[in-house]
Structure formats: C-alpha cells, structure tokens
Amino acid sequence: MVIFCTNFGVVKIKLNTEKAPKTSINFLQYCQDGFYNGTIFHRVINGFMIQGGSLTYRMEEKEPRASIKNEANNGLSNKTGTLAMARTLDPHSASSQFFINVNDNTFLDFKSESMDGWGYCVFAEIAEGMDIVNNIKSVQTAKWGYVHQHVPVEKVLIDNVTIEE
C-alpha cells in the first residue's frame, strides 16, 4: 500500500503487481526514492482525471528516470478510482507521471499493439481516500504559461509518500 499525504488529505493506493509488475515496480521505486515528495497534481480536469508525478509547487520539472515499456495490455481498465501512467504520443514513454481516473475513461484502454491502440497502463487503484480525490477534482484551474493548462489555482501538494506493507 502506498500512502500519499497531501494538503487535501490522505490517499491510500493499492498496486496491482500481478497485472502490471514493471509499472508497479517503477512507481514504487519513485515512492521509495522520495521523488514524489513535494510534487503537485499539476493537471486537474473534473470529469476526466487528476495528474501528477513530476512538477514541484513552483512548476519546475523534476528529472525522471528512463521510460518503461507500456503494460496496458494487462486487462485492467481506466475506470473511476484507478491509477494509470501518463505518457507522450510514444506508447512506451511513461516514466514518473501518473493520473487518477475520476471517471470511467475506457477510451484510454488498450486496444492493439499499434501507435493508436496501446492505451494507458492501469497499475493501481485507490484503496482509501476517494473522497479526497473527489475534492481535488473539483478545484478551480487556470492556464500556467504557454504549456500548462488545467493547473489548480490552489496548489494540490503531495507532502510525502510512505509505503505500508
């Protein structure tokens, strides 16, 4: 169990190491290294997802490790309360960023091993704290600079991350 202590409250995350072993290990390593401590949920779209995993409260990018292979063909679905890896258009570009689905986003699921069909790898689910996630999804957002949209006006900070056996 991974525990995110945020300025909105505590969220407990249960990894699915059976269906997404490499992705779970990758996420767990970032947690153990303290990488997520002091980062924010930098993209919040109510009705879709909340995303975090690499930006500090000053909107400075932390340097992630190498990308991992996409495990989205694991049978898990981007349903409400699941966590998936964020990535670029390259299906195998996920590193540290992740998102929490706040809606059933099955259109993000694996369809085929093609550029358009890979989808986004679900690797965990919210075990406790969905009420906290629902509070976060409702924050006011704005544009930040030229690149970032849907950035919470009030910072949503991941203060620290702990691991519970």
Side-chain angles (χ1 to χ4, degrees):
M1 191 81 63
V2 173
I3 302 167
F4 276 14
C5 294
T6 76
N7 60 327
F8 276 64
V10 174
V11 177
K12 293 186 177 184
I13 299 161
K14 183 175 188 260
L15 300 176
N16 192 326
T17 55
E18 182 183 322
K19 297 245 179 163
K22 291 177 182 160
T23 307
S24 294
I25 288 167
N26 178 66
F27 182 78
L28 194 56
Q29 188 64 57
Y30 278 111
C31 293
Q32 290 171 332
D33 292 347
F35 185 87
Y36 295 130
N37 296 346
T39 62
I40 60 169
F41 284 98
H42 65 274
R43 186 170 173 232
V44 174
I45 304 173
N46 196 354
F48 181 38
M49 58 88 215
I50 64 174
Q51 181 175 339
S54 74
L55 293 175
T56 69
Y57 73 94
R58 291 188 174 127
M59 295 294 288
E60 296 167 340
E61 185 90 27
K62 292 180 91 171
E63 189 64 37
R65 294 190 313 273
S67 300
I68 59 172
K69 185 178 184 313
N70 193 332
E71 294 181 303
N73 57 348
N74 61 17
L76 299 175
S77 182
N78 283 275
K79 299 278 192 177
T80 303
T82 60
L83 280 76
M85 293 306 294
R87 61 174 179 80
T88 66
L89 293 176
D90 175 355
H92 304 289
S93 61
S95 57
S96 66
Q97 288 195 29
F98 62 91
F99 59 92
I100 302 171
N101 288 292
V102 297
N103 197 12
D104 288 346
N105 296 317
T106 56
F107 67 94
L108 298 176
D109 291 350
F110 174 85
K111 291 167 190 52
S112 68
E113 289 189 11
S114 67
M115 286 299 283
D116 295 333
W118 263 103
Y120 294 78
C121 178
V122 173
F123 66 95
E125 64 184 340
I126 302 297
E128 292 178 38
M130 196 61 196
D131 56 329
I132 304 303
V133 172
N134 286 331
N135 287 337
I136 294 169
K137 79 176 184 181
S138 301
V139 299
Q140 181 182 356
T141 63
K143 189 174 179 183
W144 178 276
Y146 295 106
V147 179
H148 300 285
Q149 297 180 21
H150 311 288
V151 178
V153 174
E154 174 189 355
K155 298 294 184 213
V156 182
L157 183 67
I158 299 171
D159 292 312
N160 65 28
V161 178
T162 56
I163 299 155
E164 186 177 86
E165 298 295 325

